[in-house]
Amino acid sequence: MTSARPLVIDCDPGHDDAVALLLAVGSPQIDLRAVTTTFGNCSVDDATRNAVQILTLAGVTDVPVARGAAGALDGVSTLGNYVHGASGLDGPAMPDPAFEVAQEGAVELLRRVIESSDEPVTVAATGPITNVAQLLLDHAQVKDGIAEIIFMGGSTERGNHTPTAEFNTFADPEALDVVLRSGLPVRMVGLNLTHQALATPEVVRRMAAMDHTVGQTSAAWMGFFGDSYNKVWEFDAPPVHDPCTIAALIDPDVISWREAFVAVELDGRWTRGTTVVDLHHRYAEERPNCQVAMTLDAGRYWDLVIEAIDRVGRRP
Ligand code: RIB
Ligand code: CA
């Protein structure tokens, strides 16, 4: 087997971010070097506590967690507690944090981990991409140490937080604009893809059948998340967005991709935060800047997620 991929995850846990973290720490193909947190599904303070509790649940106490942005580059703090609950991770009880949050901030931790790595580091962003944009703005030299940026956000079709804008991109469109203009390899995992990653009753049953706390907790997260998605968007089963970014790093065949020019709307009164994905090269003067996720092998995806959760849960 080739060596594990060095990875940092910038997230706003968040029920689906939580499953993404479990997928990462439960997969031998991934070498998780750091977790950084951002506002989004909840306040950054709640997201930070949640991240430490999730890693504690997974028995992982040696991956640093650093607190990041409390709001977007423009200072605005759009929160998604309407989906994830007051704590940002409502539902099952979580263990008390087993380790302290890093003293340094998210941008500094990202910079230090990337610059000290002996090989390029992949950056996965599953919340508003503010920390990653700030890193690129403040420390442009780190680009040489970044293998790629893969982010959950945007959509080739409709949005969720607004009719046209997906939550992460709506929460900080200027930040996504910075990333899209960075010249780095960027992969976009949008709602068009993640709405294929539904936690159906069969998926939840597989989680609930695991005879350990990690599996039971994951099933309970899907219960809360599913109720929210049914109330707000009338889904019968919740789309578990964020682990799709990690699954793509584990198995290159789990998602099909299409190269395209992607822009994010910054000014539209009704469309701010919308990703404009030029799948048919209609903007002849624009060069493709992104690989866009198009089709998910849902069976393979859920096998990867379930196997990782079970691996984590069975660790002594
Ligand atoms: O729109 C879905 C995205 O917004 C997911 O990353 C979810 O966790 C929230 O951050
Ligand atoms: Ca998220």
Side-chain angles (χ1 to χ4, degrees), residues 12 16-17 41 126-127 168 242:
D12 61 336
D16 54 328
D17 305 74
N41 287 324
T126 64
N168 291 335
D242 295 336

Side-chain angles (χ1 to χ4, degrees), residues 11-18 38-42 80 83-84 125-128 152-154 159-161 165-169 191 194-195 225 229 233 239-242:
C11 56
D12 61 336
H15 294 76
D16 54 328
D17 305 74
T38 176
F39 79 99
N41 287 324
C42 53
V83 177
H84 296 269
T126 64
M152 192 280 136
N160 54 9
H161 189 67
E166 177 279 326
F167 176 80
N168 291 335
T169 57
L191 295 178
T194 65
H195 284 179
F225 194 46
Y229 252 86
W233 291 289
V240 188
H241 312 277
D242 295 336

